[in-house]
Amino acid sequence: MTCASAWAQPAPYPAKPIRLVVPFTPGGSTDILARAIGQELTKAWGQSVVVENVPGAGGAIGADKVAKAPADGYTLLMGHIGTLAVNPSLYPKLPYNPVRDFTPVAWVARVPNVLVVHPSVTARTLKEFVAYARANPGRLNYGSGGNGSAANLATEYLKLQTSSALVHIPYRGTAPAVTDLVGGQIQLMFTGVPAVLSQIKSGQLRALAVSSPQRVDALPDLPTVSEALGMKDFEADQWYGVVAPAGTPREIVARLNGQINQSLNAPELKTRLAAEGAVATPNPPEVFGKLIDSEIVRWRPVITSGRVKAD
């Protein structure tokens, strides 16, 4: 090999800072997870990972920005169930295609939802609750953080699977919805465990079931929806993962996936994720890609049957 050809070899990845786009405002779960992963990559590789918040249109603006970025591994997206699985059915003119325009890199975490009711609801179990909802169509109001939010979709999925009639009351964020639920203005809510854990423990709200395939450590005695109803494969968790522009070289994807998975297996990061109610999900890129594909298919009929519209 000549000196000239040796100098022509590309520098090992990463040779410069990486930009990790969060398609939402700072402070939310997507942002928190992105910064945690960014810190771990920076420590491992000695290259800065700059988290850039690009909010708007339910995450579509930030996602589209990454979809159109160079496929060189230096611009990544911290995606989640909304940007990668729900938006294709929620927005008729979405500027990106989550399957065609992205390469799956790493499934980072999932956050189980929990179904909680106000104590005035007499049902003590999910089976009793479903029976009451069927017998009293339209009498139970559920809250969410807005139209098209994870809470909205999880409840619509439960409605679809149980043939229940519940009335949606959208709020501008999870916090005000929880406040009204505690106050009795609405009767129920399906939301991430951290948002209502203290109210469950204090008795202000009653938990009936979790949306995940397995029970959660924070509420070990609480059954899953599948257990409570004898239903197969009910799952309505929130999930998060990193994707890159389509065409990103396989060796770069593999390097990112390996380092992110290594970080997710570290006890300190697992503890940090647990504080956010998240469960680490280290997997190969192919597994994350299959998740995205299956979730697009799963949520399309939920959005259609529930007539869910974006805010």
Side-chain angles (χ1 to χ4, degrees):
M1 180 181 292
T2 66
C3 291
S5 62
W7 280 109
Q9 297 300 312
Y13 176 87
K16 62 181 181 179
I18 298 168
R19 181 175 55 156
L20 180 54
V21 173
V22 173
F24 303 104
T25 54
S29 296
T30 310
D31 182 69
I32 291 168
L33 290 171
R35 293 180 189 279
I37 292 298
Q39 287 176 9
E40 293 299 318
L41 292 179
T42 298
K43 285 192 298 184
W45 290 342
Q47 285 288 355
S48 298
V49 176
V50 180
V51 174
E52 179 182 352
N53 297 90
V54 185
I61 294 175
D64 185 51
K65 186 173 184 177
V66 175
K68 293 178 170 59
D72 57 7
Y74 290 100
T75 303
L76 308 172
L77 175 73
M78 178 58 82
H80 88 318
I81 183 174
T83 48
L84 298 177
V86 171
N87 281 359
S89 298
L90 198 59
Y91 293 90
K93 295 182 178 180
L94 196 67
Y96 65 91
N97 182 302
V99 175
R100 182 192 63 221
D101 296 337
F102 294 118
T103 295
V105 172
W107 183 7
V108 172
R110 61 179 176 83
V111 177
N113 289 309
V114 58
L115 180 64
V116 287
V117 296
H118 186 266
S120 62
V121 176
T122 57
R124 309 296 299 185
T125 67
L126 182 56
K127 185 173 287 188
E128 291 177 359
F129 173 83
V130 169
Y132 180 86
R134 286 173 174 168
N136 297 274
R139 293 192 62 181
L140 293 172
N141 297 328
Y142 79 89
S144 81
N147 291 312
S149 65
N152 180 196
L153 294 172
T155 315
E156 289 298 325
Y157 187 46
L158 181 68
K159 285 174 56 179
L160 183 64
Q161 295 297 310
T162 61
S163 302
S164 302
L166 305 170
V167 179
H168 181 213
I169 308 296
Y171 288 79
R172 292 191 177 276
T174 299
V178 173
T179 297
D180 272 10
L181 178 58
V182 171
Q185 280 76 40
I186 54 177
Q187 287 74 52
L188 67 138
M189 189 172 180
F190 227 150
T191 191
V193 172
V196 289
L197 187 58
S198 63
Q199 291 88 346
I200 293 171
K201 291 186 174 180
S202 68
Q204 293 176 291
L205 298 176
R206 182 186 309 126
L208 298 182
V210 290
S211 65
S212 49
Q214 299 85 28
R215 297 189 182 198
V216 300
D217 291 342
L219 299 165
D221 296 327
L222 193 65
T224 66
V225 171
S226 294
E227 287 177 324
L229 297 180
M231 180 185 295
K232 185 180 179 182
D233 297 334
F234 182 97
E235 184 177 347
D237 291 353
Q238 302 174 48
W239 50 260
Y240 305 81
V242 176
V243 296
T248 299
R250 289 185 179 181
E251 59 271 21
I252 290 178
V253 171
R255 183 157 165 74
L256 281 163
N257 177 266
Q259 188 57 57
I260 291 172
N261 285 350
Q262 184 176 329
S263 300
L264 291 173
N265 282 314
E268 58 271 21
L269 187 54
K270 283 187 176 181
T271 300
R272 186 171 179 181
L273 293 179
E276 297 299 321
V279 179
T281 50
N283 274 286
E286 296 77 15
V287 172
F288 186 37
K290 288 179 181 178
L291 173 74
I292 295 170
D293 292 342
S294 65
E295 289 285 271
I296 291 172
V297 172
R298 181 215 293 268
W299 294 110
R300 186 175 293 123
V302 176
I303 292 167
T304 302
S305 66
R307 299 179 182 178
V308 179
K309 304 294 183 182
D311 281 331

